[in-house]
Amino acid sequence: MPHLTFILGGARSGKSAHAEKLIEQLSGPWFYIATAQAFDDEMRQRIHLHRERRGSPWQTIEAPLDLCAALDAIPDGAPVLVDCLTLWLSNQMLADADLESQCAALAEKLAHSRGPWFVVSNEVGLGIVPDNALARRFRDEAGRLNQSIAAVANRVLFMVAGLHIQVK
Amino acid sequence: MPHLTFILGGARSGKSAHAEKLIEQLSGPWFYIATAQAFDDEMRQRIHLHRERRGSPWQTIEAPLDLCAALDAIPDGAPVLVDCLTLWLSNQMLADADLESQCAALAEKLAHSRGPWFVVSNEVGLGIVPDNALARRFRDEAGRLNQSIAAVANRVLFMVAGLHIQVK
Amino acid sequence: MPHLTFILGGARSGKSAHAEKLIEQLSGPWFYIATAQAFDDEMRQRIHLHRERRGSPWQTIEAPLDLCAALDAIPDGAPVLVDCLTLWLSNQMLADADLESQCAALAEKLAHSRGPWFVVSNEVGLGIVPDNALARRFRDEAGRLNQSIAAVANRVLFMVAGLHIQVK
């Protein structure tokens, strides 16, 4: 069982469902670290649907910003799903955080996963260059973060239409 | 020979040409179900180029909305190319259709393919989150539809620059 | 050693770094053909970072438009990195060039690579259809160009988060 599995894919590619399926084959309890912040109804609805899909043996922890502290609080050996890195990155940018140090600290934390940890992230760099500078910056930062996490992961899956391609 | 081959990829990734190449290795006649509606000159030009590339043994059926009925009219065992699902979905959204039931009916129909059927669709979820809500909704619906078709397909190909990665 | 390696991927997917790593395993000198034009500070910064990452055994040639002439000037057998095709295409479009003949000439040149040549390009067709016609045209032309180069390449790699999937 790899310590760190990194699950990357586009919107609605089945990343979260695949991660949940992999974790639910392990013995619980399972920890779900949600990075989502419910700013509006659309996001509240997405969070609600995600929660409904997951059953009760899941323990949910909300960590829109301090993901490292949330990971520190997890017992050794427990299965964890972090969903997802791109929302966390977006929260960091909105909070005007020092991205370089935040991302380095997270990569370091995940490089020393203390159990079967599963991390979900969005690939956002395969479309046309965005019009606005903020979106371009987000795209660059997300790509860099994804590369650094993939580098320390034992297993990397790229999701396509609910199916996975094992990249590492 | 798989009953249902699902060919997914980005714009200009060679999806249609690859599907046509696969079908033309089979004995004809071959049925081409076009979901395109020619609203403007750009689209008319695309449809025209697609038709030119295909030769005469192809029988073209236009089905911008009622794709299930078009599939029902195909003889048992005949090779079919449906091109493409994302345009069909877009037509359904413009027609304000009940997407959930339409997509479920289509997935059910394709799960019982009566011959070597080939279905082409666009992957649209690998860029930055779109600015407008309609594009976000389309992206979500397309991703869900692609997942449901991939789930019932015998073979799934992801196209990259005219080459395919077999995902299933 | 393949004569032509084509490295395709999204923004910040590690295309250039991977190409440099592959080339630096070969004996030098290595030629870097840069297609970038520094129109603004953002681009100047990107070019600067790319140069800093590469060391001194690299010889840099700038070829925003006349890529074929730059390739002709390379000695037989020398390792070359062309970075990247999508910027070159963008420069051609800005210069209002005859894209069809330019792209055909480039594909022909690369089909007769005279050494281990590595060409980097962006995949831009996996997001939502862009709002404006120019972006749609660029997306179409980039997809067509990528297909034609992939067709003549001996090896094609699709990059995901710094890792590669061998597509050909």
Side-chain angles (χ1 to χ4, degrees), chain B residues 14-38:
Chain B
K15 304 180 297 296
S16 303
H18 190 68
E20 290 166 25
K21 200 183 69 180
L22 291 176
I23 285 200
E24 291 178 356
Q25 292 163 4
L26 308 173
S27 50
W30 312 307
F31 291 86
Y32 182 87
I33 304 185
T35 59
Q37 275 180 311

Side-chain angles (χ1 to χ4, degrees), chain B residues 26-66:
Chain B
L26 308 173
S27 50
W30 312 307
F31 291 86
Y32 182 87
I33 304 185
T35 59
Q37 275 180 311
F39 286 122
D40 55 25
D41 284 352
E42 191 181 329
M43 185 57 85
R44 251 186 295 276
Q45 176 65 358
R46 278 175 187 251
I47 293 174
H48 178 71
L49 285 172
H50 268 273
R51 286 220 172 163
E52 270 201 342
R53 197 177 56 218
R54 295 189 308 275
S56 55
W58 282 93
Q59 298 191 22
T60 299
I61 298 159
E62 298 195 6
L65 286 167
D66 203 350

Side-chain angles (χ1 to χ4, degrees), chain C residues 142-162:
Chain C
R144 265 190 282 265
L145 177 60
N146 285 339
Q147 282 190 49
S148 71
I149 306 306
V152 300
N154 307 91
R155 176 169 58 166
V156 178
L157 307 178
F158 181 63
M159 300 298 300
V160 172

Side-chain angles (χ1 to χ4, degrees), chain A residues 160-162, chain B residues 6-10 13 15 86 119-124 142 146-147 150 156-160 163 165 167, chain C residues 126:
Chain A
V160 172
Chain B
F6 187 43
I7 299 169
L8 195 64
S13 64
K15 304 180 297 296
T86 25
V119 174
V120 165
S121 187
N122 278 73
E123 171 58 54
V124 297
N146 286 340
Q147 282 190 49
V156 178
L157 307 178
F158 182 63
M159 301 298 299
V160 172
L163 305 167
I165 300 169
V167 187
Chain C
L126 287 157

Side-chain angles (χ1 to χ4, degrees), chain B residues 95-133:
Chain B
D96 210 15
D98 175 350
L99 291 188
E100 200 173 329
S101 72
Q102 289 288 336
C103 291
L106 179 61
E108 176 69 15
K109 186 69 66 189
L110 293 173
H112 299 91
S113 297
R114 294 173 296 98
W117 289 5
F118 298 76
V119 174
V120 165
S121 187
N122 278 73
E123 171 58 54
V124 297
L126 287 157
I128 280 286
V129 180
D131 283 333
N132 72 82

Side-chain angles (χ1 to χ4, degrees), chain A residues 125-128 136 139-140 147, chain C residues 10-12 14 42 46 124 126:
Chain A
L126 287 157
I128 279 287
R136 282 199 299 278
R139 195 169 78 137
D140 281 358
Q147 282 190 50
Chain C
R12 302 287 125 199
E42 192 179 328
R46 278 176 187 249
V124 298
L126 287 157

Side-chain angles (χ1 to χ4, degrees), chain A residues 128 131, chain B residues 11-12 40-43 46, chain C residues 89 93 99 124 128-142 144:
Chain A
I128 279 287
D131 284 333
Chain B
R12 302 287 125 199
D40 55 25
D41 284 352
E42 191 181 329
M43 185 57 85
R46 278 175 187 251
Chain C
L89 179 67
M93 283 177 69
L99 291 188
V124 298
I128 279 287
V129 180
D131 284 333
N132 72 81
L134 182 65
R136 282 199 299 278
R137 187 179 161 225
F138 178 74
R139 196 169 77 137
D140 281 358
E141 297 291 352
R144 265 190 282 265

